[in-house]
């Protein structure tokens, strides 16, 4: 149990550290990478807690999502590298106050809530995966399928918008004239 708690703390601190780095950089790409590392650390926390399916799912989803987000930012942002010295924070005093209030509320809920009895015997990993699959593929299948098709459509549309249109007729005219 000692090694598990140690790695849980290490990945938890890494997740918080990279989460802070998201807001401390002026580059959208570096911010996306910091968010990727933060969410990957959360995925490793799942793995440390022996929820293999959720851990691998978290890591795979975040790697794909953040890669797509970085590609979109490079395509459509005016300064994705942050070389222009832009400031990505707005309403700093309000944001700090809201963060402190939210953190206090989260700590209060964590410490004061009745979490119920601790499970003495948890199902094995295969049974957990099977039950999660039944839950996701039962009532939520249409939602996941719709989200998948929507994401695929957005990726195809973004690629179509990013590719420059070539005028083949003018290219043929140039070859004939030579």
């Amino acid at each position: 149990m000692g090694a598990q708690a140690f790695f849980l703390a290490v990945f938890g601190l890494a997740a918080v550290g990279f989460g802070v780095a998201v807001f401390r950089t002026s580059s959208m790409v570096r911010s996306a990478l910091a968010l990727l590392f933060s969410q990957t650390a959360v995925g490793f926390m799942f793995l440390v807690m022996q929820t293999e399916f959720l851990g691998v799912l978290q890591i795979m989803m975040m790697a794909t999502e953040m890669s797509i987000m970085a590609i979109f930012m490079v395509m459509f942002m005016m300064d994705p590298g942050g070389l222009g010295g832009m400031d990505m924070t707005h309403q700093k005093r309000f944001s700090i106050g809201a963060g402190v209030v939210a953190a206090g509320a989260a700590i209060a809920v964590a410490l004061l809530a009745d979490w119920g009895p601790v499970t003495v015997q948890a199902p094995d990993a295969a049974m957990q995966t099977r039950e999660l699959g039944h839950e996701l593929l039962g009532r939520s299948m249409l939602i996941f399928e719709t989200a998948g098709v929507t994401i695929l459509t957005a990726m195809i549309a973004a690629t179509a918008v990013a590719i420059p249109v070539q005028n083949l007729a003018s290219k043929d005219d140039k070859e004939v004239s030579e």
Side-chain angles (χ1 to χ4, degrees):
M1 186 68 173
Q4 185 180 16
F6 171 76
F7 283 112
L8 190 64
V10 166
F11 289 126
L13 289 173
V16 170
F18 282 117
V20 169
V22 169
F23 298 100
R24 300 294 299 165
T25 181
S26 62
S27 165
M28 295 296 286
V29 174
R30 286 190 294 265
S31 180
L33 289 174
L35 187 57
L36 167 65
F37 293 146
S38 175
Q39 295 301 311
T40 301
V42 171
F44 281 117
M45 289 173 67
F46 280 126
L47 291 176
V48 168
M49 292 184 284
Q50 299 176 350
T51 53
E52 292 87 4
F53 178 77
L54 292 177
V56 171
L57 186 68
Q58 171 82 10
I59 293 168
M60 287 176 26
M61 278 183 16
M62 288 302 123
T64 305
E65 180 183 331
M66 293 302 138
S67 300
I68 292 169
M69 189 171 83
I71 290 168
F72 273 73
M73 285 187 297
V74 168
M75 285 192 308
F76 296 117
M77 292 291 294
M78 292 183 293
D79 185 21
L83 301 176
M86 68 178 174
D87 186 15
M88 292 178 21
T89 58
H90 306 286
Q91 301 176 349
K92 292 180 184 182
R93 288 187 180 144
F94 176 75
S95 299
I96 290 171
V100 168
V101 169
I107 290 171
V109 166
L111 295 177
L112 301 175
D114 180 22
W115 294 97
V118 176
T119 302
V120 178
Q121 181 69 27
D124 63 339
M127 183 56 75
Q128 289 179 17
T129 304
R130 171 186 266 181
E131 290 175 2
L132 182 62
H134 282 292
E135 176 66 25
L136 292 178
L137 297 178
R139 65 187 180 109
S140 302
M141 180 59 133
L142 183 61
I143 296 169
F144 282 107
E145 289 297 322
T146 304
V149 170
T150 304
I151 291 170
L152 178 63
T153 304
M155 290 168 56
I156 292 170
T159 304
V161 168
I163 296 174
V165 177
Q166 297 178 356
N167 190 352
L168 297 177
S170 64
K171 186 177 180 182
D172 292 338
D173 292 340
K174 289 180 184 176
E175 291 176 3
V176 171
S177 65
E178 291 176 0

